[in-house]
């Protein structure tokens, strides 16, 4: 059975959440590092495609886990959800990490055109023909299914960077085009983390023993570079102040939905009254058919729910869709949706992000320390 339904909807997300709470959630902390392989029930929640588009909000998923398992039982899962929040806050204050990845990808593509050896290794990697046990199956899973387990993503990125010696930006781009949960912040910063650029000087090295132990198939890759040094860069992304959010105006507004936030029912709109709704679809560059279909079904679902909730027409944005009304929208984090938003719309931030992002400018530990206070708030 496929891991995700054909249509990515909030109802499907709620069903997946309840299956997780009634199943693998109870054993999450102990089992989460194991990749059971394609076709098997995952050890983790597989909620990221829904969280990435906010068909489910981080707040409700965390609340449900705390309710089901208590503070201690849910601790690991809650901490993982906050990794997502952390990466988003970090990218907001280090947007060069996103733009730099694209520049790096373009430079790497130019190198492929000029360096036949690099081109050959890259072609073997994306065709799943490297001969590296595990890696070749994961490439096929990534392109066919749009999904990889977290531990596998770590091994994959590490082998790509340190054994195959391929430019990391090409790997990050491959993930963004194929992962159904492809997320500018989590993906870019995780690749940087594996490379040793996010926590500077500390890279993640994939080890044969670890892969054998944590894969149900018992993949046993020979010849990995297990002594690799971290990558370095001349100019790390500079830190910029967290951009300020807007406040909603009173009176009639047009609400713009985008792929970073498709739960308008829980957005705090103050005294604004929604009288038109438009949906803006901005797929990642080069997104696969699967990713585009997931985005489209999620947007359809968001628009249908918004129409029912606010009692006014909703549809894809078109010329003049908002009339003369002020346009309000949920905050779009650095990435394709933020780049496609009209310049004059009012951007509202959820409390969750407002409380967490100021703690996300450096390492994760500061945010982790703030989790109890954020949850009390
Ligand atoms: C190289 C690499 C690339 C990645 N690219 C993406 C990406 O494009 N989109 C994406 O959502 N995640 C990405 N991740 C993070 C992580 O792998 C996925 O969020 C996780 O595998 C999703 O599976 P799950 O929903 O079953 O997670 P669970 O383990 O059930 O965790 C619950 C939720 O917490 C969040 N989460 C869990 N682990 C992480 C993590 N390490 N970093 C950030 N958030 C996390 C996710 O929203 C997830 O749905 C990447 C990790 C690596 C190492």
């Amino acid at each position: 059975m496929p891991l995700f339904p054909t249509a990515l909807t909030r109802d499907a997300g709620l069903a997946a959440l309840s299956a997780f709470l009634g199943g693998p959630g109870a054993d999450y902390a102990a089992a989460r590092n194991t990749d059971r392989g394609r076709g098997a029930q995952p050890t983790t929640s597989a909620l990221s495609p829904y969280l990435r588009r906010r068909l489910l909000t981080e707040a409700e998923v965390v609340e449900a886990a705390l309710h089901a398992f208590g503070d201690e039982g849910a601790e690991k899962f809650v901490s993982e959800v906050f990794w997502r929040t952390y990466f988003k806050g970090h990218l907001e204050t280090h947007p060069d990490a996103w733009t730099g990845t694209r520049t790096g990808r373009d430079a790497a593509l130019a190198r492929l055109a000029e360096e036949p050896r690099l081109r050959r290794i890259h072609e073997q990697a994306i065709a799943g023909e490297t001969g590296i046990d595990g890696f070749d199956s994961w490439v096929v899973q990534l392109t066919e299914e749009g999904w990889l387990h977290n531990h596998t993503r770590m091994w994959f990125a590490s082998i790509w960077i340190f054994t195959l010696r391929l430019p990391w930006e090409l790997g990050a781009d491959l993930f963004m085009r194929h992962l159904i949960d492809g997320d500018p912040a989590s993906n870019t910063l995780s690749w940087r983390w594996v490379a040793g650029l996010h926590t500077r000087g500390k890279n993640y090295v994939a080890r044969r023993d670890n892969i054998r132990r944590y894969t149900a198939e018992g993949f046993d890759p020979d010849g990995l570079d297990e002594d690799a040094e971290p990558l370095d860069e001349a100019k790390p992304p500079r830190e910029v102040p967290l951009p300020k959010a807007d406040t909603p105006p009173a009176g009639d507004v047009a609400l713009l939905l985008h792929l970073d936030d498709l739960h308008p029912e829980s957005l705090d709109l103050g005294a604004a009254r929604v009288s038109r709704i438009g949906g803006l679809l901005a797929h990642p560059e080069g997104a696969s058919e699967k990713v585009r279909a997931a985005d489209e079904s999620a947007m359809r679902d968001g628009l249908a729910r918004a129409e029912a909730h606010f009692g006014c027409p909703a549809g894809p944005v078109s010329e003049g869709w908002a009339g003369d009304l002020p346009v309000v929208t949920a905050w779009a984090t650095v990435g394709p949706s933020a780049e496609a938003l009209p310049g004059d719309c009012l951007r509202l931030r959820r409390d969750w992000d407002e409380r967490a992002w100021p703690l996300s400018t450096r390492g994760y530990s500061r945010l982790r320390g703030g989790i109890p206070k954020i949850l009390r708030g």
Side-chain angles (χ1 to χ4, degrees):
M1 207 177 90
L3 190 50
F4 303 108
T6 328
L8 216 57
T9 61
R10 175 166 166 79
D11 280 351
L14 288 170
L17 174 60
S18 111
F20 173 67
L21 298 176
D27 200 27
Y28 178 81
R32 62 181 281 275
N33 278 331
T34 297
D35 184 348
R36 289 202 181 120
R38 271 185 94 165
Q41 188 187 38
T43 50
T44 60
S45 69
L47 288 175
S48 53
Y50 306 99
L51 286 165
R52 188 265 170 269
R53 298 171 178 85
R54 274 201 170 142
L55 288 165
L56 300 180
T57 66
E58 292 85 340
E60 71 183 322
V61 163
V62 162
E63 193 187 322
L66 288 170
H67 181 74
F69 306 123
D71 288 1
E72 225 174 280
E75 190 189 352
K76 191 66 198 161
F77 179 74
V78 170
S79 170
E80 292 305 315
V81 175
F82 270 98
W83 266 103
R84 164 174 181 72
T85 304
Y86 163 73
F87 279 142
K88 285 177 74 178
H90 195 87
L91 196 62
E92 284 300 285
T93 51
H94 298 79
D96 292 355
W98 168 247
T99 46
T101 305
R102 281 193 299 194
T103 317
R105 175 205 59 192
D106 294 344
L109 288 172
R111 277 185 63 199
L112 291 185
E114 281 165 17
E115 298 176 34
R117 187 170 174 276
L118 190 71
R119 186 165 66 243
R120 184 174 44 77
I121 298 171
H122 181 252
E123 280 167 3
Q124 287 169 343
I126 59 176
E129 290 168 2
T130 62
I132 300 175
D133 197 29
F135 185 92
D136 288 346
S137 310
W138 301 329
V139 176
V140 175
Q141 185 183 359
L142 172 68
T143 50
E144 286 183 359
E145 209 176 31
W147 175 259
L148 290 175
H149 180 278
N150 177 59
H151 214 165
T152 302
R153 296 182 196 201
M154 291 159 63
W155 297 320
F156 186 115
S158 182
I159 292 170
W160 180 280
I161 299 169
F162 299 117
T163 295
L164 297 171
R165 296 272 155 198
L166 287 166
W168 69 268
E169 296 95 333
L170 288 181
D173 185 60
L174 181 74
F175 269 28
M176 270 311 283
R177 286 186 284 117
H178 289 285
L179 282 175
I180 298 226
D181 64 6
D183 180 88
S186 289
N187 188 55
T188 306
L189 297 176
S190 294
W191 273 87
R192 288 180 56 82
W193 176 82
V194 170
L197 298 169
H198 182 72
T199 310
R200 281 191 90 185
K202 222 176 139 199
N203 53 338
Y204 175 78
V205 179
R207 300 192 187 281
R208 181 178 182 174
D209 282 356
N210 187 259
I211 294 173
R212 209 169 30 213
R213 176 169 170 205
Y214 287 108
T215 49
E217 294 95 334
F219 288 128
D220 190 14
D222 198 8
L224 303 187
D225 184 347
E226 300 197 11
D227 299 309
E229 293 292 320
L231 303 188
D232 202 358
E233 61 192 344
K235 227 172 118 202
R238 79 207 142 95
E239 185 176 328
V240 300
L242 187 60
K244 280 209 166 18
D246 297 304
T247 45
D252 283 341
V253 297
L255 178 66
L256 181 63
L257 300 191
H258 53 72
L259 293 170
D260 282 5
D261 197 313
L262 289 172
H263 194 236
E265 301 96 312
S266 62
L267 190 64
D268 183 357
L269 289 164
R273 204 173 40 246
V274 176
S275 52
R276 288 181 198 191
I277 302 161
L280 176 72
L281 260 182
H283 307 288
E285 223 180 312
S288 70
E289 280 299 313
K290 245 188 168 45
V291 170
R292 296 172 79 88
D295 285 346
E296 277 152 24
S297 60
M299 178 57 78
R300 267 197 308 278
D301 180 59
L303 286 171
R305 275 183 291 104
E307 185 168 295
H309 182 78
F310 296 107
C312 61
V317 289
S318 54
E319 187 71 29
W321 72 278
D324 294 332
L325 295 173
V327 177
V328 298
T329 190
W331 193 269
T333 25
V334 170
S337 291
E339 284 158 7
L341 284 182
D344 56 355
C345 63
L346 299 163
R347 302 184 302 156
L348 316 181
R349 208 142 60 209
R350 289 175 183 269
D351 277 355
W352 182 272
D353 298 331
E354 200 66 26
R355 288 196 292 261
W357 287 358
L359 302 177
S360 304
T361 53
R362 301 287 156 86
Y364 175 65
S365 57
R366 193 153 159 245
L367 177 61
R368 187 173 48 213
I371 292 176
K373 199 165 160 209
I374 293 170
L375 293 181
R376 275 199 304 277

